[in-house]
Amino acid sequence: DADVTQTPRNRITKTGKRIMLECSQTKGHDRMYWYRQDPGLGLRLIYYSFDVKDINKGEISDGYSVSRQAQAKFSLSLESAIPNQTALYFCATSDLSGGPSGEQFFGPGTRLTVL
Amino acid sequence: KNQVEQSPQSLIILEGKNCTLQCNYTVSPFSNLRWYKQDTGRGPVSLTIMTFSENTKSNGRYTATLDADTKQSSLHITASQLSDSASYICVVSAMGGYNKLIFGAGTRLAVHP
C-alpha cells in the first residue's frame, strides 16, 4: 500500500462549489504539507502542520483552509472554488528526525479542475 | 528574493546517452539542495541531498554536483534509460525557524528509444 494517499485523484467541479481534498499517511510522520503545482511553476506551499494542534499558513493560503483530524490525516478545503485554483495538488509528509529540511514524501497528487 | 531556476525546460535524448540538467539558485541562507524525480502522474521522489560542504553525490546512474560559491548545481544522468523519462526538480532549503523549501519549475526529460 502507498505510504501517502490522496483522494480523490481527479476532480472536476464548478465555480463556487466547496471542495475537500483528503490526505492520509501510514509513515507515522508528524509533519504534513499541502502544495499546488501549476505548469511552468515550482510547487508552492499552501499550508503545513507540524502536529495535530499546529497549523501554519504557507505562501499561498488565501482561498484555502485545512484540518488536521489526526496525526495521519490532513485535509485541504476550497470553500468556494474559482477557476484559477485549477491545479495539481500534492500532500507531503516528513518526520522530525530529518530536521526542518528533512526529506518530504509526496502523495500521488489530485488533479483539480474548476470550471 | 529566494529563487531556483532550472534549465533546460525540456530535453529529449536517445536511450543510452548521457545528459546534464542545471539548477541555479539565489537562496540565502542556504541549508541544503535536493534533486527530486517526478514521474508522470506521481508525486516527486528524492534522488539526492547535498549540503554546503558537499561537492558531488551519486545515486546509481545519477550524479549531483554543487558549487556553493557560484550557487549552481547539476544533475548528470549516465547511460539513460526509458524509465528516466520524468520531470527533475531542484529544491533548495533556506535556513530559518522553519526551513523553507524553494522549488524549481523542473526540467522535463524524455528518453526515446
Side-chain angles (χ1 to χ4, degrees):
Chain A
D1 287 342
D3 295 319
V4 184
T5 58
Q6 293 183 232
T7 56
R9 293 295 312 279
N10 289 282
R11 182 70 184 270
I12 299 174
T13 190
K14 294 182 179 181
T15 297
K17 295 292 187 181
R18 184 178 187 275
I19 295 298
M20 178 180 287
L21 309 183
E22 297 186 339
C23 176
S24 295
Q25 53 115 346
T26 58
K27 298 187 77 66
H29 290 170
D30 289 310
R31 301 180 173 189
M32 299 187 73
Y33 313 80
W34 275 105
Y35 293 91
R36 66 176 280 174
Q37 186 177 42
D38 296 279
L41 297 178
L43 274 75
R44 291 179 292 167
L45 183 65
I46 305 172
Y47 271 95
Y48 61 101
S49 169
F50 283 176
D51 64 40
V52 175
K53 297 182 179 180
D54 177 77
I55 302 289
N56 303 280
K57 292 182 177 180
E59 60 181 304
I60 55 164
S61 59
D62 287 348
Y64 301 95
S65 62
V66 292
S67 173
R68 185 81 183 267
Q69 301 95 322
Q71 187 208 32
K73 296 183 182 296
F74 193 34
S75 60
L76 176 72
S77 293
L78 289 69
E79 296 301 325
S80 181
I82 56 177
N84 75 2
Q85 290 178 314
T86 293
L88 191 54
Y89 289 85
F90 286 101
C91 174
T93 73
S94 67
D95 70 14
L96 295 175
S97 65
S101 59
E103 180 179 358
Q104 293 189 13
F105 297 84
F106 289 82
T110 293
R111 184 168 297 280
L112 176 66
T113 303
V114 183
L115 301 176
Chain B
K1 180 181 179 183
N2 288 330
Q3 285 187 316
V4 175
E5 296 185 350
Q6 293 187 241
S7 62
Q9 286 188 326
S10 62
L11 182 63
I12 300 173
I13 62 174
L14 293 177
E15 186 178 14
K17 298 296 185 182
N18 303 336
C19 68
T20 300
L21 314 180
Q22 300 290 344
C23 173
N24 296 337
Y25 61 92
T26 57
V27 176
S28 182
F30 175 86
S31 176
N32 62 52
L33 183 149
R34 289 182 186 271
W35 283 93
Y36 280 82
K37 178 186 180 188
Q38 184 177 11
D39 292 310
T40 301
R42 299 198 171 194
V45 175
S46 179
L47 290 174
T48 65
I49 178 175
M50 303 191 73
T51 59
F52 186 87
S53 60
E54 296 175 303
N55 299 116
T56 184
K57 184 169 284 187
S58 292
N59 177 3
R61 294 179 298 100
Y62 300 101
T63 299
T65 65
L66 174 66
D67 185 332
D69 292 331
T70 62
K71 297 186 177 180
Q72 295 180 325
S73 176
S74 66
L75 181 69
H76 185 75
I77 304 174
T78 303
S80 60
Q81 300 177 357
L82 298 178
S83 59
D84 292 330
S85 295
S87 287
Y88 292 85
I89 302 172
C90 177
V91 184
V92 182
S93 176
M95 277 194 268
Y98 158 63
N99 281 31
K100 180 180 178 180
L101 300 184
I102 299 95
F103 289 78
T107 292
R108 183 174 296 277
L109 174 66
V111 180
H112 289 182

